[in-house]
Amino acid sequence: MNAPPVSRPASGRRPSLTRQLLLWSLGALAIVWGSFVFIGYQTGVHEADELTDGHLASVAALLLNLRATEAMEGPQRTERTPTPWLKSHDYQQTISVVQWDAQGRVLSITGSVPEPPFSDAEGFADLTLGPDKVAWRSFSQWDAGRTRKIMVMLELRERDELADDIAGQLIEPGLWLLPVVSLALGLALWRGLRPLYALSADVAALDPTSAQRLASRHAWSEFESVVASINTLLDRQQVAMVRERRLANEVAHELRTPLSSIALQASALAGELTEEARAQALARIGQDALRAGHVLNQLLALARASRAELHEAKAPVDLSALARSVCADYAQAAWKRGDDLGLSAPTALTVPGHAVLLDIAVRNLVENALKHTPEGTQIAVQLGSADAGGAWLQVCDDGARQQAGGAPGRAAAVPVDSLHLGHEILRRVADIHGGHFGAAPAPAPFTTCYRLDLPSPSAPAAG
């Protein structure tokens, strides 16, 4: 059954790293900028308050030293001369002054302030005066002899306007600067990510079927591991593709022979044949069908090996128990051929691996020994522990000696897959387990031996 296609988002909906970086950068910039604006506004208000209070205190000290009311009799109110042209200056303020004698009699009032109540207290104060309840900021002070008191006043509205003006002057450059910095930041990010765009374009242009590799122009330190990993994957893919193409060609060749023979024999059956020729044709069709079926079974085993590599986790496997089970399954087939199938293994031999794949490997070794040797062959399945903590399994036979001896009644078995698909399966299983498979020196009295070595659990996987 074909796997369902993996759904991929449309290119227009795919998230952009550039947009993500720009949004995060602008977000961080906006937060920092907003913090500076808030702090700047608070600083402007604070400085305006200090400036106003200092101005009130300075005017009070100046007027106390001038003693301008000593020649006046009775309270005097002096309205401020209208000077509308001065309002264009942001820091020009309307100051009102009230003076009392020691008994609390008003000596003079300058400005538009209503007459405030007299008090002995000195210093800054916030007052609400007049029928309109206007808020005023005041500073009052006695002279050295406490014979005269002066109060300098300013509407809080003017002070707040001054504070807003100062704070606005501090904020305004930031308002103009933010879009400029955002534009410059976007251009800088785009320019800085150009190597990533180039790497992405080169990766997209790679042809997996060719021997092409990523160029060395992506020699940025941040890209070293990525480029090396991609090139390593490409190399492994090339090796795998070469191996798969070779395997596909061999399988096609191996299947072509029995299928062609089946078609030829089937055509012959359509003609006039003797009973003996018809029986031989049917027998040949049966043999060729079994041969093609065996090749297909080997292909299915290869597919299971690949699937197990991707989806199954390694687990402890008792290799001795597995080998005993396989030998028991093939004991009947060995007895029918007159073979001697033996097992030499410790009571328990546990290795980490895929039980399904190891079972396939042992069965292939035993099956190959049964099908590629003449009848009456002595076959031995041997297991043991390696010095480094791993394990090994080998299947040996004396088929070559039986073939050379030519014992009567012992016909050589016809090879089922001359291209060693079974060995290809064993190599795949060995690669998955980080081990090695190949021919091994045959101990006496055997002539052929194939061995599967499995590493210890702590040993690094090969490849």
Side-chain angles (χ1 to χ4, degrees), residues 190-368:
W190 175 80
R191 180 61 182 85
L193 290 175
R194 282 179 61 184
L196 182 60
Y197 301 150
L199 176 62
S200 178
D202 288 350
V203 171
L206 285 175
D207 184 6
T209 61
S210 67
Q212 184 181 4
R213 294 167 57 90
L214 283 179
S216 59
R217 66 190 184 97
H218 302 291
W220 299 85
S221 59
E222 292 81 4
F223 292 165
E224 286 181 358
S225 59
V226 176
V227 173
S229 299
I230 292 176
N231 286 331
T232 301
L233 289 175
L234 290 173
D235 293 339
R236 290 181 178 179
Q237 185 176 14
Q238 288 300 317
V239 173
M241 290 181 66
V242 170
R243 182 176 59 189
E244 296 299 333
R245 281 196 294 265
R246 184 176 65 249
L247 180 61
N249 293 333
E250 293 174 350
V251 169
H253 178 75
E254 188 64 25
L255 284 175
R256 187 182 299 114
T257 301
L259 293 178
S260 299
S261 177
I262 290 174
L264 182 62
Q265 298 299 327
S267 299
L269 288 175
E272 296 181 1
L273 296 176
T274 63
E275 290 298 327
E276 182 179 359
R278 185 178 299 274
Q280 291 178 354
L282 289 175
R284 184 62 182 272
I285 288 176
Q287 293 177 359
D288 291 335
L290 290 176
R291 182 177 180 184
H294 179 73
V295 174
L296 293 177
N297 286 334
Q298 300 289 61
L299 290 177
L300 290 176
L302 278 173
R304 292 182 65 186
S306 300
R307 185 169 62 252
E309 179 183 9
L310 294 175
H311 301 290
E312 296 180 11
K314 289 183 179 180
V317 179
D318 187 351
L319 201 58
S320 296
L322 190 149
R324 283 193 291 268
S325 175
V326 172
C327 290
D329 292 341
Y330 283 96
Q332 181 69 17
W335 177 78
K336 287 183 178 180
R337 283 170 36 92
D339 296 338
D340 182 10
L341 178 60
L343 173 66
S344 174
T347 305
L349 181 59
T350 303
V351 295
H354 303 280
V356 174
L357 300 186
L358 292 175
D359 181 77
I360 291 174
V362 178
R363 288 181 183 275
N364 268 277
L365 285 172
V366 175
E367 185 176 340
N368 286 343

Side-chain angles (χ1 to χ4, degrees), residues 81-110:
T81 302
T83 53
W85 61 89
L86 291 179
K87 293 301 292 182
S88 61
H89 195 287
D90 293 333
Y91 299 149
Q92 190 270 335
Q93 296 173 319
T94 303
I95 300 294
S96 297
V97 180
V98 181
Q99 298 187 66
W100 294 275
D101 60 10
Q103 288 73 35
R105 294 190 299 269
V106 176
L107 299 179
S108 65
I109 298 178
T110 302

Side-chain angles (χ1 to χ4, degrees), residues 96-155:
S96 297
V97 180
V98 181
Q99 298 187 66
W100 294 275
D101 60 10
Q103 288 73 35
R105 294 190 299 269
V106 176
L107 299 179
S108 65
I109 298 178
T110 302
S112 59
V113 63
E115 181 178 339
F118 177 76
S119 172
D120 288 338
E122 293 182 305
F124 294 100
D126 292 332
L127 304 176
T128 304
L129 304 176
D132 297 333
K133 304 298 183 181
V134 178
W136 294 78
R137 179 69 171 174
S138 67
F139 178 80
S140 57
Q141 186 177 3
W142 287 93
D143 62 0
R146 295 188 67 85
T147 59
R148 188 163 59 96
K149 181 182 179 183
I150 191 168
M151 178 182 286
V152 183
M153 308 177 70
L154 173 70
E155 281 192 51

Side-chain angles (χ1 to χ4, degrees), residues 425-436:
I425 294 174
L426 286 161
R427 292 190 188 94
R428 186 73 59 88
V429 173
D431 291 341
I432 293 173
H433 290 81
H436 174 73

